[in-house]
Amino acid sequence: MTKAYNKFFINGEWVEPSGRPTLDVINPATEEAFATISMGTADDVDAAAKAARAAFPAWSQSTIEERKAVIGNIIAGMKARGDEIATAISNEMGAPMGLAKTAQLGSGMGHFANILGILDSYEFEEVRGTTKIVKEAAGVCGFITPWNWPLNQIACKVAPAIAAGCTIVLKPSEIAPLSAYILAEIIADSGLPAGVFNLVNGDGPTVGAAISAHPEIDVVSFTGSTRAGQEVAKAAANGIKRVTQELGGKSANIILDDADLQKSVGGGVIGCFGNSGQSCNAPTRMLVPKARMAEAIEIAKAAAAKASVGDPSDEKTRLGPVVSELQFNKITALIEKGIAEGADLIVGGPGRPEGIETGYFIQPTVFANVTNDMTIAREEIFGPVLSIIGYEDDADAVRIANDTEYGLSGYVSGEPAHAEQIARQIRTGMVHINGAGPDFSSPFGGYKKSGNGREWGLEGFEEYLETKAMLGAA
């Protein structure tokens, strides 16, 4: 039996949409619908944007303590409904429950918690000569978020925007909308004034485009594919809006000649396969010294064998399905392309894992002796597919790593000083050294076609502030 989530949250109330089209939400492990949502229109976006505009003058002048109280209430609500949120994430996009409860839920809560620390110490005003420099809310924000880390990608936008005094119109992914719906219910009970936060479900070409172009929206933050990001930027251009984008990636993982090969290669395989490979910053190109390719292959093969694929509701499952039939077909086609172009298939391949007949499950796949001009080394696959590429020396490794249109993340393993020297040469917004994990206080974002602007931490917070010079006020 499917459950209906057919209302939108606009101006502090759950309201009926302007139209009546609905969309089934599919559980990718079963290929069956388990919920429905209403699909919004430009009229729904208009109502939400006008509500956000009306709420902006008061909320932008709210005190820091008022904002902190609301954020604290949101965190408490997420804790109270944590199991429900994790189950929704698992059902809507296939994350194993272990991952949904820890990384997926934990990252969302982590962004709200981090922003409280920023508010404790941030200086919104400074005196420079006879001028007072004031940082104030940037305005009404339109957020368009993806399905792969649904709560995380909403929280890292909504938390700093609320903290900055902005108001919000959110369109979560129509593929994974239920965790956003629960968060909206939590926000509705948080004490946030009506109109500050608004939610409209729908697709990108309709609701996303309306948000991007709406004259009442000042800031647009988009996370998704590079192709869709280009459309968002075009739609926003006429309004001279501030646009921040977190887009695709094809991150290189350089294993230096002085690295612990067993640890670095094994960890790189696990990192690539995490979230079933559905992370924009996944280390999908592993660069190893050519002289140690055979050794790296054996380590990768053993590590891949431990990546158990199965029912996301089983706590022992490491990899769930990919999110949809569309993604399943795209990933399968790219695996077949890798074989056709001559890469050595070490583990996995096209088709579901043995014994699994239903669900969008992909075999964890490792290719070796890949060259950087192959399709699997150029395109973002967004599935559990690793390409191992050999390099001659440090300069060659850096050249290969930077030979991509993307620049989101990078990974380097080796003796610390050596690894840092290489990291400084990688043209990406982030570099993980020797397996370092995510840090909510550090900026997240990329170079080149991986986007512009930053999320997370202080830099992410400042994306939602404008700078005003009050001359003679000091």
Side-chain angles (χ1 to χ4, degrees):
M1 182 176 177
T2 59
K3 185 175 179 180
Y5 296 82
N6 290 339
K7 292 186 177 181
F8 301 151
F9 189 66
I10 297 176
N11 203 26
E13 297 181 349
W14 290 98
V15 301
E16 296 290 341
S18 62
R20 289 292 180 268
T22 61
L23 180 73
D24 287 339
V25 182
I26 306 298
N27 183 325
T30 65
E31 303 183 39
E32 295 179 354
F34 72 100
T36 63
I37 59 168
S38 292
M39 297 293 279
T41 67
D43 288 340
D44 297 305
V45 172
D46 186 58
K50 287 176 177 175
R53 174 60 63 197
F56 179 74
W59 184 245
S60 66
Q61 298 300 313
S62 61
T63 68
I64 300 305
E65 292 307 314
E66 287 172 322
R67 299 175 196 179
K68 288 172 63 177
V70 165
I71 292 168
N73 289 339
I74 293 171
I75 294 171
M78 294 171 75
K79 286 180 180 177
R81 300 183 68 178
D83 286 347
E84 187 181 351
I85 294 171
T87 299
I89 292 171
S90 183
N91 287 339
E92 66 191 1
M93 57 76 61
M97 279 303 297
L99 181 75
K101 288 180 178 179
T102 54
Q104 291 273 4
L105 173 63
S107 62
M109 294 180 64
H111 291 300
F112 279 98
N114 182 71
I115 212 70
L116 286 179
I118 290 174
L119 285 179
D120 278 336
S121 59
Y122 192 79
E123 297 292 338
F124 285 86
E125 298 184 6
E126 67 168 294
V127 173
R128 195 179 302 167
T130 60
T131 300
K132 185 173 288 185
I133 311 297
V134 178
K135 299 291 182 68
E136 59 185 26
V140 177
C141 301
F143 295 152
I144 305 167
T145 61
W147 48 260
N148 59 322
W149 288 88
L151 186 66
N152 171 76
Q153 291 301 144
I154 291 171
C156 72
K157 300 178 195 297
V158 169
I162 289 174
C166 294
T167 57
I168 297 160
V169 178
L170 167 67
K171 187 205 89 67
S173 169
E174 69 275 22
I175 297 172
L178 304 189
S179 51
Y181 208 93
I182 297 169
L183 179 62
E185 292 176 340
I186 291 168
I187 291 174
D189 293 333
S190 69
L192 196 67
V196 175
F197 172 87
N198 305 273
L199 177 143
V200 177
N201 279 317
D203 61 21
T206 306
V207 173
I211 286 173
S212 302
H214 200 284
E216 294 289 2
I217 292 178
D218 306 297
V219 177
V220 178
S221 180
F222 170 80
T223 301
S225 71
T226 297
R227 177 194 55 77
Q230 292 169 335
E231 296 305 312
V232 167
K234 290 174 184 176
N238 286 342
I240 319 296
K241 302 179 192 299
R242 179 185 300 183
V243 178
T244 62
Q245 300 174 317
E246 198 269 283
L247 308 175
K250 194 67 183 176
S251 301
N253 180 9
I254 301 176
I255 314 296
L256 295 171
D257 56 8
D258 53 14
D260 179 333
L261 200 70
Q262 183 76 40
K263 179 179 178 182
S264 301
V265 171
V269 171
I270 293 169
C272 176
F273 291 170
N275 203 39
S276 297
Q278 299 172 124
S279 298
C280 49
N281 62 338
T284 54
R285 292 184 297 148
M286 180 180 288
L287 278 54
V288 302
K290 284 185 177 178
R292 304 189 72 180
M293 175 65 76
E295 190 180 350
I297 287 171
E298 292 307 310
I299 297 168
K301 189 184 297 184
K306 298 176 183 177
S308 58
V309 181
D311 182 356
S313 65
D314 187 338
E315 295 280 354
K316 296 178 182 178
T317 296
R318 297 281 291 275
L319 272 70
V322 297
V323 75
S324 66
E325 182 179 14
L326 181 67
Q327 287 297 116
F328 178 87
N329 291 337
K330 174 195 169 188
I331 296 162
T332 299
L334 284 165
I335 292 172
E336 291 171 343
K337 189 81 168 176
I339 295 169
E341 290 185 358
D344 294 340
L345 180 64
I346 304 303
V347 175
R352 293 180 176 86
E354 186 176 352
I356 295 179
E357 303 297 329
T358 303
Y360 306 123
F361 293 91
I362 295 284
Q363 295 184 65
T365 298
V366 177
F367 286 102
N369 293 305
V370 176
T371 58
N372 207 49
D373 59 350
M374 291 181 179
T375 303
I376 55 172
R378 308 303 297 180
E379 294 190 16
E380 185 176 39
I381 298 173
F382 233 58
V385 181
L386 175 66
S387 297
I388 304 180
I389 301 170
Y391 69 86
E392 297 286 354
D393 53 22
D394 284 3
D396 193 37
V398 170
R399 179 191 63 78
I400 294 169
N402 288 335
D403 179 21
T404 173
E405 65 182 9
Y406 297 110
L408 183 57
S409 195
Y411 301 75
V412 183
S413 295
E415 187 277 324
H418 186 193
E420 183 174 336
Q421 176 196 15
I422 299 299
R424 290 180 182 276
Q425 301 174 63
I426 306 303
R427 295 289 297 166
T428 61
M430 302 168 284
V431 183
H432 299 254
I433 297 175
N434 287 325
D439 178 356
F440 296 134
S441 68
S442 68
F444 189 107
Y447 296 2
K448 300 189 278 188
K449 288 189 178 179
S450 287
N452 50 61
R454 291 295 180 267
E455 297 187 316
W456 302 28
L458 178 62
E459 289 80 3
F461 173 63
E462 289 183 330
E463 292 286 357
Y464 300 103
L465 297 174
E466 286 281 16
T467 301
K468 175 182 286 181
M470 298 171 60
L471 290 81

